[in-house]
Amino acid sequence: MTTKTLLMASTMLSLGLATAATAQDDVPAGAEDDVLKIGLIYTLSGPAAALGEQARNGFMLAAEQIGEIGGMETEIVVIDDEQRPDKAADDARELVQREEVDFVVGPIFSNILVAIHQPVVETGTILISTNAGTSNFAGADCHPNFFVTSYQNDQNHEVMGAYAEQQGYQNVFLMAPNYQAGKDSLAGFKHSYTGGVAGEVFTELGQLDFSSELAQVAAFQPDALFTFMPGGMGVNLVKQYDQAGLSSVPFLSAFTVDETTLPATQDAAVGLLGGANWAPDLENEANAAFVEAYIEQYDAVPATYAMQAYDAAQLIDSAVRKVGGDLTDRDALRAALKEADFDSPRGDFSFGNNNFPIQDFYLTEAVKREDGRFATSAREVIFDDYVDTYADQCEMGAS
């Protein structure tokens, strides 16, 4: 397996590059090569770098364990999108047209997914999102060349809405960044929560000072706060929430208290609840092996980002082996991907009609492990074999 890292500036690419399908019957230019080429697009710099690093590490761990993915000589190209949609779109064209990759894997953020989706899937190349899962791509804009190993954006937030409903909360303060995933998060929460809303605030993406918003929470004294603040945003929010003495207001979140933020928030986050499709302490053989190997390799507890990317590598391996390395038969390759014939650390995993996962979702709690590391722990199953609510808008076929 060969790995090369490209740190590409958007100025390196010509905007005049063609984006039409490159070969007959939507077969990418590199599909007939003997080398399997995979491009990873993740945010690997800036405040959210920890998220992309977890995803990259999870994919590379699986790749190293497999050796030759799909039984083929494998080359992996890693790109830092710098959390810039314009750069990411150019990077995607670079991967498809010059690097002639067979698969593009990533990204972390939904606005990046929106930017790279068309440049990848319309050329016949398979795009596998290991994190972002916007509602339009799960529904009306679903595409046979687009697969997701994470979730539909709303779902983890729906977990917390259902939990708030269970607890009888009637006055919840909602807060998320002002971009598509932030909007999906609050829509997801309200999909399973019927109580009142004390306040609803959209912050700037990348905001690190939440004093104004927390002052509103203190003034409203809601039954609970629900928030989605990934990466560095989540670190600062949890610390400032703790410093503001708001422990009387239950803190509910998704992608805010996890293995990417807990090394920084530590005790300030212990006991805070979240919604997730996985936790490091799920009891199954595949998960135990994955978590142990990740900690040994990277000296850190894996987050969901790592697990979902790990599964993407396993998914590609299983599908390419099923077609005997023949990547020119796109229908056969897509059918092989759809079978999802691998053991996921999350347990049960299958694809719905929209190529989004059908899986379980959990209430999680931040804990301090026996080894002194901080992690999330699964407390109860909230949704079993859950199909996202947009699948019936996808016309690719019945699930």
Side-chain angles (χ1 to χ4, degrees), residues 1-4 35-36 38 60 67 73-78:
M1 179 180 67
T2 302
T3 304
K4 63 178 178 179
V35 177
L36 176 66
I38 302 168
M60 296 307 299
E73 181 182 345
T74 305
E75 180 175 330
I76 299 174
V77 182
V78 182

Side-chain angles (χ1 to χ4, degrees), residues 78-321:
V78 182
I79 292 177
D80 176 12
D81 62 40
E82 299 178 10
Q83 208 175 337
R84 291 171 44 201
D86 58 337
K87 178 181 185 299
D90 287 344
D91 291 342
R93 296 185 185 98
E94 174 83 358
L95 287 172
V96 170
Q97 295 168 22
R98 192 172 78 180
E99 295 292 329
E100 297 184 349
V101 299
D102 302 295
F103 296 89
V104 174
V105 176
I108 295 297
F109 289 93
S110 292
N111 58 340
I112 303 295
L113 173 61
V114 171
I116 71 174
H117 185 272
Q118 188 274 339
V120 176
V121 301
E122 294 302 325
T123 65
T125 305
I126 302 295
L127 172 60
I128 301 176
S129 176
T130 67
N131 193 60
T134 58
S135 54
N136 61 308
F137 294 138
D141 297 329
C142 63
H143 196 286
N145 292 329
F146 180 59
F147 290 79
V148 174
T149 58
S150 52
Y151 36 67
Q152 193 281 313
N153 281 353
D154 299 18
Q155 290 180 298
N156 289 311
H157 312 290
E158 289 178 38
V159 171
M160 300 316 294
Y163 175 76
E165 192 81 1
Q166 286 178 9
Q167 298 302 304
Y169 296 151
Q170 292 298 316
N171 195 33
V172 179
F173 192 96
L174 309 178
M175 182 165 58
N178 190 17
Y179 77 119
Q180 187 59 52
K183 295 172 184 177
D184 285 347
S185 72
L186 299 195
F189 182 88
K190 289 185 281 189
H191 181 265
S192 52
Y193 170 71
T194 62
V197 174
E200 184 171 323
V201 174
F202 285 101
T203 68
E204 291 185 14
L205 181 61
Q207 180 172 321
L208 298 177
D209 181 1
F210 299 96
S211 55
S212 175
E213 291 79 8
L214 291 176
Q216 292 182 58
V217 174
F220 282 113
Q221 282 298 302
D223 292 340
L225 164 68
F226 169 73
T227 186
F228 160 65
M229 288 289 168
M233 294 183 292
V235 170
N236 279 30
L237 176 60
V238 168
K239 288 182 176 180
Q240 291 166 26
Y241 168 87
D242 182 60
Q243 293 164 1
L246 290 171
S247 59
S248 62
V249 179
F251 187 105
L252 313 179
S253 70
F255 309 104
T256 306
V257 178
D258 64 17
E259 288 72 21
T260 66
T261 60
L262 283 167
T265 55
Q266 299 193 1
D267 290 322
V270 169
L272 300 186
L273 301 176
N277 60 344
W278 170 85
D281 62 350
L282 289 185
E283 295 183 358
N284 67 70
E285 186 175 339
N287 191 48
F290 162 64
V291 173
E292 180 181 1
Y294 191 96
I295 292 175
E296 181 177 353
Q297 181 87 349
Y298 300 110
D299 193 28
V301 180
T304 299
Y305 306 99
M307 180 276 294
Q308 293 163 167
Y310 184 86
D311 274 0
Q314 294 196 96
L315 173 64
I316 294 171
D317 178 59
S318 69
V320 174
R321 289 182 190 276

Side-chain angles (χ1 to χ4, degrees), residues 355-373:
N355 295 343
F356 276 64
I358 300 172
Q359 60 190 320
D360 297 341
F361 287 86
Y362 303 87
L363 177 72
T364 64
E365 181 180 357
V367 299
K368 188 172 184 178
R369 291 162 40 111
E370 291 182 359
D371 62 6
R373 294 182 172 94

